[in-house]
Amino acid sequence: MAGLSGRMSTVFKAKVSKLLDRTEDPGETLEYGYQKQIELLQNVKKGIADVVTSKKRIQMQSQKLEQQVVKLDTQARQALSQGKEELARTALERKTVAQSELQSLDQQVTELESQQAQLTEKEKVMRQKIEAFRTKKEVIKAQYSAAEAQVKISEAASGVGEEMADLGLAMQRAEEKTENMRARASAVDELEQAGAFDDITQLGPGQDDIDRELAELSSGSQVDDELSKMKAELGSGGGESPALEEGRREQQA
Amino acid sequence: MIVRISGEGQFELPDADAERLNELDNEAVAAVEAGEEERFHELWREMLDLVAADGRAIDDDELIESDVILPPRDVSFEEARGEFTGEGLIPD
């Protein structure tokens, strides 16, 4: 096959022959296989620990963002009921950014969980293949002439080698995903530090840059839609919330 | 014909499927080259579905080399576009 699978197969075959060439006797591949499996197993464990750490961090971020979403929504309503449409718009823009961050964080966590499950499963298969190889090697040695046995054992070793190459690939992909997730978490931290999800009551002078950026980040139409929906809701209810009245009295005092 | 879906395991497929698989594979490459991401994912799903529908899963204690190795189920368009070597999908 010439396509993607052909290319993939070629690369795998090269990797397997590299694995097998390390030893003159394919039977020794078993020893090499064990050694390699122990290394991989350690990597898998480390990889899973990394995933769990990153996942916890992401989940904490998610909770914080969820709270911000609720708060910003409330603030938008309050601002609007006071007739401060620009402030309401700012709050909704921030809410939109926080929501889209939340979504992508959740997606990453789900993806990593499936990688983790896949790795655990593959590791189990690898153990079984190695065990089968050990048994098969002895059977072949007993049943065939030396030359034939060499060929048969080589064939079986290729099967183990392929499984090893595949586990190595799964491991590498999981590591990349964890790395991506870390980068994502740092990006959210930076946004947060820049004040992207800040309480709008904290807004003071000098916040113009972040507001402009946020306006660009969040989709204008979504904010517009939400704003008009909110206006309609408030229009039917009317009046200002007591909390805001109180706040204003405090300001005047 | 023995087919491996990378990350999932090996399947034994009737030889009659080889041609169809090859066709889909070549179409997938064409989609990648044309930059048609959606089409690529469609074809990819179709290939994996074919393997799942016609294939018999190989036991975990069977030792056999694959005739064809398919990239992982969650292969990204970028990965498919890059070479599956070196800095690409498979590390050295």
Side-chain angles (χ1 to χ4, degrees):
Chain A
M1 284 200 186
L4 293 177
S5 56
R7 237 185 299 170
M8 188 91 179
S9 304
T10 308
V11 177
F12 256 78
K13 285 205 167 73
K15 287 180 88 60
V16 171
S17 82
K18 218 165 144 190
L19 282 173
L20 301 186
D21 281 351
R22 278 168 203 247
T23 56
E24 298 253 314
D25 169 11
E28 280 178 33
T29 305
L30 176 67
E31 299 315 317
Y32 179 70
Y34 267 135
Q35 199 189 314
K36 195 77 195 161
Q37 197 207 1
I38 289 164
E39 275 172 38
L40 280 173
L41 188 62
Q42 280 164 348
N43 272 340
V44 171
K45 279 184 182 154
K46 198 178 138 282
I48 290 176
D50 278 354
V51 171
V52 173
T53 310
S54 305
K55 215 160 65 183
K56 275 188 189 149
R57 187 172 161 201
I58 296 270
Q59 280 161 345
M60 269 166 65
Q61 275 183 332
S62 287
Q63 279 170 4
K64 238 156 91 182
L65 281 180
E66 269 165 27
Q67 287 167 1
Q68 285 301 69
V69 166
V70 174
K71 193 185 241 172
L72 287 168
D73 187 81
T74 311
Q75 289 182 333
R77 271 167 215 280
Q78 291 175 339
L80 204 58
S81 66
Q82 283 181 311
K84 291 176 180 166
E85 191 171 329
E86 273 315 298
L87 206 55
R89 182 179 292 277
T90 304
L92 287 178
E93 277 162 3
R94 294 190 170 198
K95 186 185 142 190
T96 309
V97 174
Q99 274 172 327
S100 77
E101 285 305 325
L102 260 178
Q103 243 173 24
S104 80
L105 292 182
D106 287 348
Q107 224 177 320
Q108 294 255 345
V109 171
T110 312
E111 224 175 88
L112 272 158
E113 271 166 358
S114 85
Q115 289 272 326
Q116 192 180 325
Q118 197 195 45
L119 273 182
T120 312
E121 175 59 27
K122 278 213 76 63
E123 205 271 323
K124 201 187 90 198
V125 172
M126 184 76 225
R127 272 175 200 275
Q128 261 165 307
K129 295 262 179 198
I130 294 239
E131 210 36 58
F133 184 87
R134 184 215 281 282
T135 316
K136 197 164 186 176
K137 193 178 71 153
E138 295 314 313
V139 172
I140 291 170
K141 270 187 187 165
Q143 286 180 348
Y144 293 87
S145 72
E148 278 173 321
Q150 185 83 350
V151 172
K152 295 254 170 219
I153 291 172
S154 280
E155 281 169 9
S158 294
V160 175
E162 195 181 295
E163 202 61 48
M164 249 189 269
D166 202 28
L167 177 55
L169 173 61
M171 194 58 230
Q172 191 225 5
R173 281 168 66 81
E175 271 166 9
E176 269 169 22
K177 293 234 157 102
T178 317
E179 205 45 58
N180 285 344
M181 187 159 110
R182 263 196 223 110
R184 188 86 223 174
S186 304
V188 174
D189 275 352
E190 270 169 40
L191 264 180
E192 201 179 356
Q193 270 158 27
F197 313 119
D198 277 359
D199 205 314
I200 55 159
T201 56
Q202 312 285 316
L203 270 186
Q207 295 274 345
D208 293 349
D209 281 352
I210 186 84
D211 284 341
R212 253 201 305 279
E213 274 178 49
L214 286 174
E216 281 167 21
L217 265 174
S218 54
S219 89
S221 66
Q222 191 189 330
V223 171
D224 284 341
D225 286 352
E226 228 179 313
L227 201 56
S228 40
K229 214 173 95 192
M230 217 171 249
K231 273 184 194 165
E233 279 173 30
L234 287 168
S236 60
E240 290 181 0
S241 77
L244 278 173
E245 289 278 355
E246 212 170 285
R248 203 170 309 152
R249 269 200 301 279
E250 270 167 29
Q251 268 177 346
Q252 281 164 353
Chain B
M1 180 176 58
I2 306 294
V3 177
R4 175 185 289 278
I5 300 175
S6 182
E8 291 181 30
Q10 294 172 297
F11 300 86
E12 187 176 6
L13 254 71
D15 287 344
D17 281 339
E19 205 178 316
R20 179 70 190 132
L21 210 55
N22 204 10
E23 255 171 49
L24 288 168
D25 198 26
N26 287 334
E27 276 181 57
V29 173
V32 168
E33 277 164 3
E36 293 165 353
E37 190 168 348
E38 247 173 70
R39 180 84 187 119
F40 166 74
H41 286 298
E42 253 172 53
L43 289 161
W44 204 244
R45 256 196 307 278
E46 212 176 311
M47 281 175 87
L48 296 175
D49 287 350
L50 177 70
V51 175
D54 287 5
R56 172 190 74 89
I58 304 263
D59 288 340
D60 288 348
D61 57 359
E62 259 186 81
L63 300 167
I64 189 163
E65 213 180 340
S66 305
D67 299 307
V68 172
I69 298 175
L70 301 179
R73 183 172 294 268
D74 63 346
V75 68
S76 71
F77 191 63
E78 282 67 33
E79 282 175 321
R81 194 155 45 186
E83 294 292 314
F84 285 108
T85 53
E87 294 302 297
L89 194 59
I90 300 186
D92 282 327

PDB file of all heavy atoms in Angstrom, chain A residues 87-105:
ATOM      1  N   LEU A  87     -20.491  48.784  30.243  1.00  0.00           N
ATOM      2  CA  LEU A  87     -19.956  47.947  31.314  1.00  0.00           C
ATOM      3  C   LEU A  87     -20.528  46.521  31.204  1.00  0.00           C
ATOM      4  O   LEU A  87     -19.816  45.538  31.381  1.00  0.00           O
ATOM      5  CB  LEU A  87     -20.322  48.567  32.666  1.00  0.00           C
ATOM      6  CG  LEU A  87     -19.395  48.225  33.826  1.00  0.00           C
ATOM      7  CD1 LEU A  87     -17.958  48.558  33.512  1.00  0.00           C
ATOM      8  CD2 LEU A  87     -19.849  48.948  35.095  1.00  0.00           C
ATOM      9  N   ALA A  88     -21.811  46.459  30.876  1.00  0.00           N
ATOM     10  CA  ALA A  88     -22.445  45.153  30.701  1.00  0.00           C
ATOM     11  C   ALA A  88     -21.780  44.405  29.547  1.00  0.00           C
ATOM     12  O   ALA A  88     -21.507  43.204  29.641  1.00  0.00           O
ATOM     13  CB  ALA A  88     -23.928  45.330  30.409  1.00  0.00           C
ATOM     14  N   ARG A  89     -21.495  45.125  28.488  1.00  0.00           N
ATOM     15  CA  ARG A  89     -20.844  44.509  27.332  1.00  0.00           C
ATOM     16  C   ARG A  89     -19.475  43.945  27.725  1.00  0.00           C
ATOM     17  O   ARG A  89     -19.121  42.824  27.364  1.00  0.00           O
ATOM     18  CB  ARG A  89     -20.700  45.541  26.209  1.00  0.00           C
ATOM     19  CG  ARG A  89     -20.075  44.992  24.944  1.00  0.00           C
ATOM     20  CD  ARG A  89     -19.985  46.057  23.876  1.00  0.00           C
ATOM     21  NE  ARG A  89     -21.298  46.460  23.387  1.00  0.00           N
ATOM     22  CZ  ARG A  89     -21.953  45.791  22.451  1.00  0.00           C
ATOM     23  NH1 ARG A  89     -21.422  44.715  21.915  1.00  0.00           N
ATOM     24  NH2 ARG A  89     -23.125  46.202  22.051  1.00  0.00           N
ATOM     25  N   THR A  90     -18.729  44.735  28.487  1.00  0.00           N
ATOM     26  CA  THR A  90     -17.405  44.283  28.937  1.00  0.00           C
ATOM     27  C   THR A  90     -17.519  42.992  29.749  1.00  0.00           C
ATOM     28  O   THR A  90     -16.771  42.037  29.538  1.00  0.00           O
ATOM     29  CB  THR A  90     -16.726  45.368  29.810  1.00  0.00           C
ATOM     30  OG1 THR A  90     -16.676  46.566  29.046  1.00  0.00           O
ATOM     31  CG2 THR A  90     -15.334  44.955  30.223  1.00  0.00           C
ATOM     32  N   ALA A  91     -18.485  42.972  30.647  1.00  0.00           N
ATOM     33  CA  ALA A  91     -18.664  41.777  31.473  1.00  0.00           C
ATOM     34  C   ALA A  91     -19.007  40.569  30.610  1.00  0.00           C
ATOM     35  O   ALA A  91     -18.483  39.472  30.819  1.00  0.00           O
ATOM     36  CB  ALA A  91     -19.763  42.018  32.499  1.00  0.00           C
ATOM     37  N   LEU A  92     -19.861  40.777  29.619  1.00  0.00           N
ATOM     38  CA  LEU A  92     -20.252  39.657  28.750  1.00  0.00           C
ATOM     39  C   LEU A  92     -19.086  39.193  27.886  1.00  0.00           C
ATOM     40  O   LEU A  92     -18.944  38.000  27.613  1.00  0.00           O
ATOM     41  CB  LEU A  92     -21.443  40.056  27.873  1.00  0.00           C
ATOM     42  CG  LEU A  92     -22.780  40.149  28.618  1.00  0.00           C
ATOM     43  CD1 LEU A  92     -23.890  40.599  27.676  1.00  0.00           C
ATOM     44  CD2 LEU A  92     -23.149  38.807  29.250  1.00  0.00           C
ATOM     45  N   GLU A  93     -18.259  40.128  27.465  1.00  0.00           N
ATOM     46  CA  GLU A  93     -17.079  39.744  26.683  1.00  0.00           C
ATOM     47  C   GLU A  93     -16.166  38.847  27.511  1.00  0.00           C
ATOM     48  O   GLU A  93     -15.674  37.825  27.050  1.00  0.00           O
ATOM     49  CB  GLU A  93     -16.320  40.988  26.219  1.00  0.00           C
ATOM     50  CG  GLU A  93     -16.903  41.591  24.959  1.00  0.00           C
ATOM     51  CD  GLU A  93     -16.468  43.029  24.723  1.00  0.00           C
ATOM     52  OE1 GLU A  93     -15.658  43.542  25.516  1.00  0.00           O
ATOM     53  OE2 GLU A  93     -16.947  43.623  23.743  1.00  0.00           O
ATOM     54  N   ARG A  94     -15.977  39.249  28.748  1.00  0.00           N
ATOM     55  CA  ARG A  94     -15.133  38.446  29.639  1.00  0.00           C
ATOM     56  C   ARG A  94     -15.749  37.073  29.884  1.00  0.00           C
ATOM     57  O   ARG A  94     -15.055  36.069  29.947  1.00  0.00           O
ATOM     58  CB  ARG A  94     -14.937  39.179  30.958  1.00  0.00           C
ATOM     59  CG  ARG A  94     -14.160  40.420  30.732  1.00  0.00           C
ATOM     60  CD  ARG A  94     -13.699  41.119  31.947  1.00  0.00           C
ATOM     61  NE  ARG A  94     -12.776  42.141  31.475  1.00  0.00           N
ATOM     62  CZ  ARG A  94     -11.901  42.770  32.203  1.00  0.00           C
ATOM     63  NH1 ARG A  94     -11.828  42.508  33.474  1.00  0.00           N
ATOM     64  NH2 ARG A  94     -11.095  43.656  31.691  1.00  0.00           N
ATOM     65  N   LYS A  95     -17.048  37.080  30.010  1.00  0.00           N
ATOM     66  CA  LYS A  95     -17.750  35.817  30.233  1.00  0.00           C
ATOM     67  C   LYS A  95     -17.546  34.885  29.025  1.00  0.00           C
ATOM     68  O   LYS A  95     -17.284  33.690  29.192  1.00  0.00           O
ATOM     69  CB  LYS A  95     -19.240  36.084  30.439  1.00  0.00           C
ATOM     70  CG  LYS A  95     -20.032  34.860  30.822  1.00  0.00           C
ATOM     71  CD  LYS A  95     -21.517  35.172  30.900  1.00  0.00           C
ATOM     72  CE  LYS A  95     -22.320  34.012  30.378  1.00  0.00           C
ATOM     73  NZ  LYS A  95     -23.723  34.331  30.199  1.00  0.00           N
ATOM     74  N   THR A  96     -17.640  35.443  27.823  1.00  0.00           N
ATOM     75  CA  THR A  96     -17.460  34.637  26.615  1.00  0.00           C
ATOM     76  C   THR A  96     -16.070  34.018  26.567  1.00  0.00           C
ATOM     77  O   THR A  96     -15.918  32.833  26.254  1.00  0.00           O
ATOM     78  CB  THR A  96     -17.661  35.506  25.358  1.00  0.00           C
ATOM     79  OG1 THR A  96     -18.891  36.203  25.492  1.00  0.00           O
ATOM     80  CG2 THR A  96     -17.681  34.663  24.109  1.00  0.00           C
ATOM     81  N   VAL A  97     -15.067  34.818  26.899  1.00  0.00           N
ATOM     82  CA  VAL A  97     -13.693  34.301  26.894  1.00  0.00           C
ATOM     83  C   VAL A  97     -13.555  33.181  27.918  1.00  0.00           C
ATOM     84  O   VAL A  97     -13.019  32.109  27.618  1.00  0.00           O
ATOM     85  CB  VAL A  97     -12.676  35.430  27.208  1.00  0.00           C
ATOM     86  CG1 VAL A  97     -11.274  34.860  27.337  1.00  0.00           C
ATOM     87  CG2 VAL A  97     -12.719  36.491  26.125  1.00  0.00           C
ATOM     88  N   ALA A  98     -14.077  33.421  29.105  1.00  0.00           N
ATOM     89  CA  ALA A  98     -13.982  32.408  30.160  1.00  0.00           C
ATOM     90  C   ALA A  98     -14.682  31.120  29.741  1.00  0.00           C
ATOM     91  O   ALA A  98     -14.174  30.023  29.956  1.00  0.00           O
ATOM     92  CB  ALA A  98     -14.596  32.943  31.449  1.00  0.00           C
ATOM     93  N   GLN A  99     -15.837  31.262  29.091  1.00  0.00           N
ATOM     94  CA  GLN A  99     -16.583  30.069  28.657  1.00  0.00           C
ATOM     95  C   GLN A  99     -15.829  29.269  27.610  1.00  0.00           C
ATOM     96  O   GLN A  99     -15.803  28.046  27.660  1.00  0.00           O
ATOM     97  CB  GLN A  99     -17.944  30.475  28.094  1.00  0.00           C
ATOM     98  CG  GLN A  99     -19.004  30.603  29.170  1.00  0.00           C
ATOM     99  CD  GLN A  99     -20.286  31.182  28.635  1.00  0.00           C
ATOM    100  OE1 GLN A  99     -20.260  32.008  27.722  1.00  0.00           O
ATOM    101  NE2 GLN A  99     -21.400  30.782  29.204  1.00  0.00           N
ATOM    102  N   SER A 100     -15.213  29.974  26.668  1.00  0.00           N
ATOM    103  CA  SER A 100     -14.519  29.222  25.620  1.00  0.00           C
ATOM    104  C   SER A 100     -13.269  28.555  26.185  1.00  0.00           C
ATOM    105  O   SER A 100     -12.905  27.456  25.760  1.00  0.00           O
ATOM    106  CB  SER A 100     -14.207  30.110  24.402  1.00  0.00           C
ATOM    107  OG  SER A 100     -13.109  30.924  24.672  1.00  0.00           O
ATOM    108  N   GLU A 101     -12.633  29.198  27.155  1.00  0.00           N
ATOM    109  CA  GLU A 101     -11.493  28.554  27.823  1.00  0.00           C
ATOM    110  C   GLU A 101     -11.946  27.298  28.556  1.00  0.00           C
ATOM    111  O   GLU A 101     -11.299  26.260  28.481  1.00  0.00           O
ATOM    112  CB  GLU A 101     -10.832  29.508  28.818  1.00  0.00           C
ATOM    113  CG  GLU A 101      -9.992  30.598  28.186  1.00  0.00           C
ATOM    114  CD  GLU A 101      -8.928  30.056  27.248  1.00  0.00           C
ATOM    115  OE1 GLU A 101      -8.372  28.973  27.529  1.00  0.00           O
ATOM    116  OE2 GLU A 101      -8.662  30.708  26.238  1.00  0.00           O
ATOM    117  N   LEU A 102     -13.059  27.420  29.234  1.00  0.00           N
ATOM    118  CA  LEU A 102     -13.609  26.284  29.971  1.00  0.00           C
ATOM    119  C   LEU A 102     -13.829  25.092  29.058  1.00  0.00           C
ATOM    120  O   LEU A 102     -13.465  23.966  29.377  1.00  0.00           O
ATOM    121  CB  LEU A 102     -14.965  26.671  30.565  1.00  0.00           C
ATOM    122  CG  LEU A 102     -15.011  27.054  32.033  1.00  0.00           C
ATOM    123  CD1 LEU A 102     -16.418  27.448  32.415  1.00  0.00           C
ATOM    124  CD2 LEU A 102     -14.524  25.908  32.901  1.00  0.00           C
ATOM    125  N   GLN A 103     -14.410  25.387  27.899  1.00  0.00           N
ATOM    126  CA  GLN A 103     -14.713  24.321  26.949  1.00  0.00           C
ATOM    127  C   GLN A 103     -13.456  23.585  26.516  1.00  0.00           C
ATOM    128  O   GLN A 103     -13.408  22.371  26.495  1.00  0.00           O
ATOM    129  CB  GLN A 103     -15.369  24.925  25.715  1.00  0.00           C
ATOM    130  CG  GLN A 103     -16.781  24.439  25.506  1.00  0.00           C
ATOM    131  CD  GLN A 103     -17.444  25.199  24.381  1.00  0.00           C
ATOM    132  OE1 GLN A 103     -16.755  25.741  23.510  1.00  0.00           O
ATOM    133  NE2 GLN A 103     -18.746  25.248  24.393  1.00  0.00           N
ATOM    134  N   SER A 104     -12.420  24.363  26.158  1.00  0.00           N
ATOM    135  CA  SER A 104     -11.227  23.702  25.644  1.00  0.00           C
ATOM    136  C   SER A 104     -10.489  22.948  26.747  1.00  0.00           C
ATOM    137  O   SER A 104      -9.888  21.913  26.489  1.00  0.00           O
ATOM    138  CB  SER A 104     -10.312  24.697  24.926  1.00  0.00           C
ATOM    139  OG  SER A 104      -9.564  25.424  25.846  1.00  0.00           O
ATOM    140  N   LEU A 105     -10.581  23.428  27.977  1.00  0.00           N
ATOM    141  CA  LEU A 105      -9.953  22.707  29.087  1.00  0.00           C
ATOM    142  C   LEU A 105     -10.636  21.359  29.297  1.00  0.00           C
ATOM    143  O   LEU A 105      -9.984  20.340  29.469  1.00  0.00           O
ATOM    144  CB  LEU A 105     -10.017  23.525  30.380  1.00  0.00           C
ATOM    145  CG  LEU A 105      -9.176  24.802  30.447  1.00  0.00           C
ATOM    146  CD1 LEU A 105      -9.318  25.452  31.817  1.00  0.00           C
ATOM    147  CD2 LEU A 105      -7.713  24.523  30.170  1.00  0.00           C
TER     148      LEU A 105
END
